[in-house]
Amino acid sequence: MHAPVSRTELPAPPVAQRKPVVSTHHGVTLTDDYAWLRADNWQDVMREPALLDADIRAYLEAENAYTQAALGSTAALQAELFQEMKGRLKPDDSTVPAPDGPFEYFANYVAGGQYPRLCRRARNSEGEHVLLDGNAEAEGKPYWDLGGKAHSPDHRLLAYSVDDKGSELYTIRIRDLETGRDLTDEIPDTRGEIVWANDSQTLLYIRLDANHRPLFVYRHRIGTPVSQDVLVYEEKDIGFYVGLDKTLSGKFLIVDAHDHQSNEVYLIDADKPDSPLVLVEKRVHGHEYQVDHHGDRLIITTNSGGAEDFRICETPADKPGQANWREILAHKPGRLIIDVAVFKDHLVRLEREDSLPRIIVRALSDGAEHAIAFDEEAYALGMSEGYEFDTTTLRFTYSSMTTPAETYDYDMAKRTRVLRKRQEIPSGHNPADYVTRRLFAPAADGETVPVSILYRKGTPLDGSAPLFLYGYGSYGISIPASFSTTRLSLVDRGFIFAIAHIRGGKDKGYHWYTDGKLDKKLNTFTDFIASGEHLVAQGLTKRGRIVANGGSAGGMLMGVVANMAPDLFLGIIADVPFVDVLNTMLDKDLPLTPPEWPEWGNPIESAREFEIIRSYSPYDNVEAKAYPHIFAYGGLTDPRVTYWEPAKWIAKLRRLNTSDNLVLLKTNMEAGHGGASGRFEQLREMALDYAFALKITGLAAV
């Protein structure tokens, strides 16, 4: 073992030039010393990374070299962690085949393969027919990501989309499944989503605008030039995105225009894809609804009528408007309806109450309900509706922080379940060796924050153990207490692993989300700090012995808590962190800015919202003080959190930090928001994160 490293033992770190750019908003003058790191041609760089300005590239590469030097002593540890994590993955893993008519479809890996293969076989048979081999498609490419994929209703064609830059610009191709060859149809610059009409000749897809926003739905007919594709829907509000779906019944194609808190849905007859859009209910600020189909009616999940945690209604399919909605399941405060699936004879909902999920099955014939629930203190539950409408089989997955994922087929009529797959850990895993618990941290305003923890039996609970605390807390996204093979590498080395289910997610209902956004955003950050302090108060760790981690909006959380409570944390790992919040929200041309205003506020229009964001924006609040160890990740082609956000943040931190702790930046020059592609390369990035955590806690072997 060795003591944590300090920056005084390293070569001099890169120093970014200061080139002040001054702007004034609502009478307030802002000075940005590092605005030059934002490439003027960022749209072009998304498509072709080689076009990045030479000075910017030189700085990012210097930071990468410094990080490599700072963590060079962990090279053997990184390799060890990588092999451990890889050893927990089944080399030839496969999903459970999902039936659809004469076939059942699945994905699998071959030993040593980085990317999935899409396969099918005759129903209830053995063997496989490989439809698309990701390893062959990705050969020779530094980055490859399979986006959307959908087989045609007649099972003759496969539409799939690929991004080979990390910029989330997907090209759609169509494969003839009899010959195994792609047709000449090739559709560039799409979002990646694909839905087929019932004629198996027509598909809908989404195009992006020049600023990377998915605003246009087009219709393509197989064999016709892409230039002749028909614009089906154009979203005029740049604060909204469009999405595509299809009802499980196969009756309707769905176009959904949405931001983070409002939406409107249009339907197209899947048998008549040339027919006009039919609006279900026009958008109203704060109204969210989901549409399913059953017979001559639509099933609507909605938060209308004050149903904060959602209720379920029905309406005649030919009279879809809200005036005709009739409630079939009333709203129950605190019981959040997360998802609904409608089958021929059953309506199924995934809901969460008291921060734990359950599945409720409802017979459509008489409304009788029963629950699928579990006994562990904290667990994760998910359901998959599959491809088939006329079935009594529901597929669901279960896991906990100690229990590997289990996939079940559940007969909704007989109320019986069959275990179809248990996640295999080739290197071995005994759940009895680990403990998972759920604690509740008191917040200053009287709320309690759920915290899920995992540790290995025998780990000292006297405060001496280091603790890894993960958080997100935005967009209503809840972080499940699910199984992870990677975090075992920390827990087996003496860490306690914790997830803080903070406000900004929906872990305790929809109000948990609204209490962590806009003018209540501060709750997200104070909840995370309260979680850390409660774990200290419970004697699980000590102040200054916590390594915090979050990515994207969770990376913003990392930046804020580093400013607010630097002494609580030993280290901060911020993955693709949204840390330049004020400048980004003031730049309406960036891809995500207008759609993000409902989440953070619009500082262009509102002086009050400008001040709220300015009060916590990590980059704007860096000051001369002692910061914990900080490690930030960025992705050069990331359209969500642009690479210059972590780069600017680290440059400013390095100038103002008064401690000798490490301040590190690593930019993946060949990837975007999701990091490296390929299942093994992603593990290498995780191994680097964990090596950093082990190094600063003194648990890394020499």
Side-chain angles (χ1 to χ4, degrees), residues 90-97 105-110 117 119 121 128 407 420-422 424 679:
K90 188 180 179 187
D92 55 348
D93 202 8
S94 177
T95 62
V96 179
Y105 290 81
F106 57 101
N108 65 16
Y109 288 92
V110 295
R117 305 188 310 164
C119 305
R121 64 192 185 196
E128 64 181 19
T407 302
R420 295 296 307 274
K421 178 184 178 181
R422 179 174 283 118
E424 294 181 44
R679 57 175 178 162

Side-chain angles (χ1 to χ4, degrees), residues 394-470:
L394 170 72
R395 181 162 294 166
F396 70 86
T397 56
Y398 169 85
S399 75
S400 75
M401 294 178 79
T402 61
T403 308
E406 298 171 341
T407 302
Y408 291 89
D409 278 352
Y410 180 79
D411 190 308
M412 296 178 282
K414 298 177 181 177
R415 304 190 183 187
T416 56
R417 69 182 71 173
V418 176
L419 177 65
R420 295 296 307 274
K421 178 184 178 181
R422 179 174 283 118
Q423 181 181 359
E424 294 181 44
I425 314 297
S427 58
H429 173 71
N430 182 6
D433 291 340
Y434 301 88
V435 177
T436 183
R437 292 169 54 195
R438 174 67 60 91
L439 306 178
F440 290 88
D445 62 357
E447 282 282 9
T448 56
V449 183
V451 183
S452 302
I453 65 171
L454 171 73
Y455 56 88
R456 190 177 180 93
K457 283 183 178 175
T459 300
L461 305 180
D462 58 3
S464 63
L467 187 137
F468 195 93
L469 183 61
Y470 177 84

Side-chain angles (χ1 to χ4, degrees), residues 123-331:
R123 192 168 184 145
N124 299 320
S125 71
E126 297 297 325
E128 64 181 19
H129 172 210
V130 179
L131 310 179
L132 182 79
D133 184 346
N135 301 296
E137 301 289 332
E139 190 171 355
K141 298 180 176 68
Y143 184 95
W144 188 86
D145 180 61
L146 179 65
K149 55 188 184 299
H151 58 268
S152 59
D154 66 4
H155 304 278
R156 294 182 177 180
L157 300 172
L158 174 73
Y160 67 99
S161 61
V162 169
D163 166 23
D164 61 6
K165 298 286 191 303
S167 56
E168 300 179 42
L169 288 164
Y170 289 90
T171 297
I172 294 173
R173 296 182 177 89
I174 317 293
R175 178 156 296 184
D176 184 322
L177 295 181
E178 291 185 9
T179 66
R181 296 175 183 163
D182 287 343
L183 307 180
T184 55
D185 307 65
E186 187 172 295
I187 310 170
D189 296 345
T190 80
R191 178 77 179 271
E193 297 170 62
I194 307 151
V195 292
W196 285 96
N198 291 340
D199 63 3
S200 296
Q201 291 296 303
T202 307
L203 55 84
L204 299 186
Y205 66 92
I206 299 168
R207 274 190 195 164
L208 288 79
D209 72 355
N211 286 339
H212 223 92
R213 298 184 184 118
L215 300 177
F216 311 101
V217 176
Y218 277 85
R219 184 174 67 240
H220 176 75
R221 186 164 180 81
I222 301 302
T224 62
V226 172
S227 60
Q228 294 180 14
D229 287 357
V230 177
L231 178 65
V232 173
Y233 177 83
E234 178 181 356
E235 177 53 53
K236 302 291 188 180
D237 185 340
I238 60 171
F240 273 62
Y241 280 2
V242 291
L244 293 173
D245 205 349
K246 189 176 185 179
T247 60
L248 186 58
S249 67
K251 174 62 176 173
F252 293 109
L253 309 178
I254 297 173
V255 176
D256 183 297
H258 59 275
D259 63 8
H260 290 300
Q261 59 189 13
S262 315
N263 74 308
E264 69 183 12
V265 173
Y266 296 85
L267 303 178
I268 300 173
D269 188 330
D271 291 321
K272 303 172 184 176
D274 296 350
S275 60
L277 294 163
V278 175
L279 173 64
V280 174
E281 178 61 29
K282 66 180 180 181
R283 68 188 70 176
V284 173
H285 180 73
H287 182 208
E288 296 178 64
Y289 67 99
Q290 171 189 323
V291 179
D292 293 281
H293 169 252
H294 186 272
D296 59 0
R297 60 181 172 161
L298 302 177
I299 307 295
I300 313 284
T301 307
T302 171
N303 66 352
S304 62
E308 181 180 57
D309 291 314
F310 293 86
R311 61 191 180 117
I312 301 177
C313 300
E314 64 178 9
T315 187
D318 58 355
K319 296 178 182 177
Q322 188 173 348
N324 303 305
W325 294 4
R326 184 181 71 84
E327 186 172 273
I328 58 176
L329 181 74
H331 172 243

Side-chain angles (χ1 to χ4, degrees), residues 2-4 466-467 495 545 547 570 692-700:
H2 65 76
L467 187 137
F495 264 89
R545 192 81 171 133
V547 179
L570 173 65
F692 172 82
L694 290 162
K695 183 180 186 70
I696 64 176
T697 52
L699 296 180

Side-chain angles (χ1 to χ4, degrees), residues 8-74:
T8 56
E9 301 169 17
L10 296 170
V15 177
Q17 287 184 276
R18 297 172 66 183
K19 303 177 183 178
V21 173
V22 177
S23 60
T24 302
H25 308 270
H26 307 291
V28 177
T29 298
L30 302 176
T31 301
D32 188 350
D33 288 329
Y34 305 107
W36 65 273
L37 287 168
R38 177 193 187 279
D40 292 334
N41 65 336
W42 61 265
Q43 293 102 326
D44 298 328
V45 173
M46 294 284 177
R47 297 173 181 277
E48 186 46 67
L51 298 175
L52 182 66
D53 175 85
D55 289 343
I56 298 173
R57 179 177 293 277
Y59 173 71
L60 296 179
E61 290 179 343
E63 286 285 5
N64 282 351
Y66 179 69
T67 294
Q68 187 170 359
L71 299 179
S73 64
T74 68

